[in-house]
Coordinates of all heavy atoms in Angstrom, one line a residue:
F4 N -12.9 9.4 2.6 CA -11.7 10.1 2.6 C -11.0 10.2 1.2 O -10.1 11.0 1.0 CB -10.7 9.3 3.5 CG -11.2 9.3 5.0 CD1 -11.6 8.1 5.5 CD2 -11.2 10.4 5.7 CE1 -12.0 8.0 6.8 CE2 -11.7 10.3 7.0 CZ -12.1 9.1 7.6
I5 N -11.5 9.4 0.3 CA -10.8 9.3 -1.0 C -11.1 10.6 -1.8 O -12.1 11.2 -1.6 CB -11.2 8.0 -1.8 CG1 -10.3 7.7 -2.9 CG2 -12.6 8.2 -2.3 CD1 -10.4 6.3 -3.4
R6 N -10.2 10.9 -2.7 CA -10.3 12.1 -3.6 C -11.7 12.0 -4.3 O -12.0 10.9 -4.8 CB -9.2 12.2 -4.6 CG -7.9 12.5 -4.0 CD -6.8 12.6 -5.1 NE -5.5 12.9 -4.5 CZ -4.6 13.5 -5.1 NH1 -4.7 14.0 -6.4 NH2 -3.4 13.8 -4.5
R8 N -12.6 13.0 -7.2 CA -12.5 12.6 -8.6 C -12.3 11.1 -8.8 O -12.5 10.5 -9.9 CB -11.4 13.4 -9.4 CG -10.0 13.1 -8.9 CD -9.0 13.9 -9.7 NE -7.7 13.6 -9.4 CZ -7.0 12.6 -9.9 NH1 -7.5 11.8 -10.7 NH2 -5.7 12.4 -9.5
L9 N -11.9 10.4 -7.7 CA -11.7 9.0 -7.8 C -12.9 8.1 -7.4 O -12.9 6.9 -7.6 CB -10.5 8.6 -7.0 CG -9.1 9.2 -7.4 CD1 -8.0 8.7 -6.5 CD2 -8.8 8.8 -8.9
L88 N 2.3 2.7 -1.1 CA 2.4 4.2 -0.8 C 1.9 5.0 -2.0 O 1.2 6.0 -1.8 CB 3.8 4.6 -0.4 CG 4.3 4.2 1.0 CD1 5.8 4.4 1.1 CD2 3.5 5.0 2.0
A89 N 2.2 4.6 -3.2 CA 1.8 5.3 -4.4 C 0.2 5.3 -4.5 O -0.4 6.3 -4.8 CB 2.4 4.7 -5.6
F90 N -0.4 4.1 -4.2 CA -1.8 4.0 -4.2 C -2.4 5.0 -3.1 O -3.4 5.7 -3.4 CB -2.3 2.6 -3.8 CG -2.0 1.6 -4.9 CD1 -1.9 0.3 -4.6 CD2 -1.9 2.0 -6.3 CE1 -1.6 -0.7 -5.6 CE2 -1.7 1.0 -7.2 CZ -1.5 -0.3 -6.9
F91 N -1.8 5.0 -1.9 CA -2.3 5.9 -0.9 C -2.2 7.4 -1.3 O -3.2 8.1 -1.2 CB -1.4 5.7 0.4 CG -1.5 6.8 1.4 CD1 -2.7 6.9 2.2 CD2 -0.5 7.7 1.6 CE1 -2.8 7.9 3.1 CE2 -0.7 8.7 2.5 CZ -1.8 8.8 3.3
Y92 N -1.1 7.8 -1.9 CA -0.9 9.2 -2.3 C -1.9 9.5 -3.4 O -2.5 10.6 -3.4 CB 0.5 9.4 -2.8 CG 1.5 9.7 -1.7 CD1 2.0 8.7 -0.9 CD2 2.1 11.0 -1.6 CE1 2.9 9.0 0.1 CE2 3.0 11.3 -0.7 CZ 3.5 10.3 0.2 OH 4.4 10.6 1.2
M93 N -2.1 8.6 -4.4 CA -3.0 8.9 -5.4 C -4.5 9.0 -4.9 O -5.2 9.9 -5.4 CB -3.0 7.8 -6.5 CG -1.7 7.9 -7.4 SD -1.7 6.7 -8.7 CE -1.1 5.3 -7.9
A94 N -4.8 8.2 -4.0 CA -6.2 8.1 -3.5 C -6.5 9.2 -2.5 O -7.6 9.8 -2.5 CB -6.5 6.8 -2.9
Y95 N -5.6 9.5 -1.6 CA -5.9 10.4 -0.5 C -5.0 11.7 -0.5 O -5.1 12.5 0.5 CB -5.7 9.7 0.8 CG -6.5 8.4 0.9 CD1 -5.9 7.2 0.8 CD2 -7.9 8.4 1.0 CE1 -6.6 6.0 0.9 CE2 -8.6 7.3 1.1 CZ -8.0 6.1 1.0 OH -8.7 4.9 1.0
G96 N -4.3 11.9 -1.5 CA -3.3 13.0 -1.5 C -3.8 14.4 -1.8 O -3.0 15.3 -2.0
D97 N -5.1 14.6 -1.8 CA -5.6 16.0 -2.0 C -5.6 16.8 -0.7 O -5.9 18.0 -0.8 CB -6.9 15.9 -2.6 CG -8.0 15.2 -1.8 OD1 -7.6 14.4 -0.9 OD2 -9.2 15.5 -2.0
K98 N -5.2 16.2 0.4 CA -5.1 16.9 1.7 C -3.6 17.1 2.0 O -2.8 16.3 1.5 CB -5.8 16.2 2.8 CG -7.3 16.0 2.5 CD -7.9 15.2 3.6 CE -9.4 15.0 3.4 NZ -9.7 14.3 2.2
P99 N -3.3 18.1 2.8 CA -1.8 18.1 3.2 C -1.4 16.8 3.9 O -2.2 16.2 4.6 CB -1.8 19.3 4.3 CG -3.0 20.1 3.9 CD -4.1 19.1 3.4
L100 N -0.2 16.5 3.6 CA 0.4 15.2 4.2 C 1.4 15.5 5.2 O 2.5 16.0 4.8 CB 0.9 14.4 3.0 CG 1.5 13.0 3.4 CD1 0.4 12.1 3.9 CD2 2.2 12.4 2.2
F113 N 7.2 11.1 -3.5 CA 5.8 10.8 -3.9 C 5.0 12.1 -3.8 O 4.1 12.3 -4.7 CB 5.2 9.8 -2.9 CG 5.4 8.3 -3.4 CD1 5.9 7.4 -2.6 CD2 5.1 8.0 -4.7 CE1 6.1 6.1 -3.0 CE2 5.3 6.7 -5.1 CZ 5.7 5.7 -4.3
A114 N 5.2 12.9 -2.8 CA 4.4 14.1 -2.6 C 4.6 15.0 -3.9 O 3.6 15.5 -4.4 CB 4.8 14.8 -1.3
L117 N 3.0 13.4 -7.1 CA 1.5 13.3 -7.2 C 0.8 14.5 -6.6 O -0.3 14.5 -6.2 CB 1.1 12.0 -6.4 CG 1.7 10.8 -7.0 CD1 1.5 9.6 -6.1 CD2 1.1 10.5 -8.3
D118 N 1.5 15.7 -6.7 CA 0.9 17.0 -6.3 C 0.3 17.0 -4.9 O -0.8 17.5 -4.7 CB -0.1 17.4 -7.4 CG 0.6 17.9 -8.6 OD1 1.8 18.3 -8.5 OD2 0.0 17.7 -9.7
T119 N 0.9 16.4 -4.0 CA 0.4 16.4 -2.6 C 1.2 17.4 -1.8 O 2.4 17.6 -2.0 CB 0.6 15.0 -1.9 OG1 -0.1 14.0 -2.7 CG2 0.2 15.0 -0.5
V120 N 0.6 18.2 -1.0 CA 1.3 19.2 -0.2 C 1.9 18.6 1.0 O 1.2 18.1 1.9 CB 0.3 20.3 0.2 CG1 1.0 21.4 1.0 CG2 -0.4 20.9 -1.0
P121 N 3.3 18.6 1.0 CA 3.9 18.0 2.2 C 3.9 19.0 3.4 O 4.2 20.2 3.2 CB 5.3 17.7 1.7 CG 5.6 18.6 0.6 CD 4.2 18.9 0.0
N143 N -3.6 14.2 6.2 CA -3.1 12.8 6.2 C -1.8 12.8 6.9 O -1.1 13.7 7.0 CB -3.0 12.3 4.7 CG -4.3 12.1 4.0 OD1 -5.2 11.6 4.6 ND2 -4.4 12.6 2.8

Side-chain angles (χ1 to χ4, degrees):
F4 300 109
I5 200 166
R6 289 181 184 209
R8 68 180 182 82
L9 298 179
L88 285 168
F90 291 154
F91 164 76
Y92 276 71
M93 286 185 277
Y95 306 107
D97 58 340
K98 296 175 181 68
L100 181 66
F113 270 131
L117 299 168
D118 289 329
T119 299
V120 178
N143 287 318

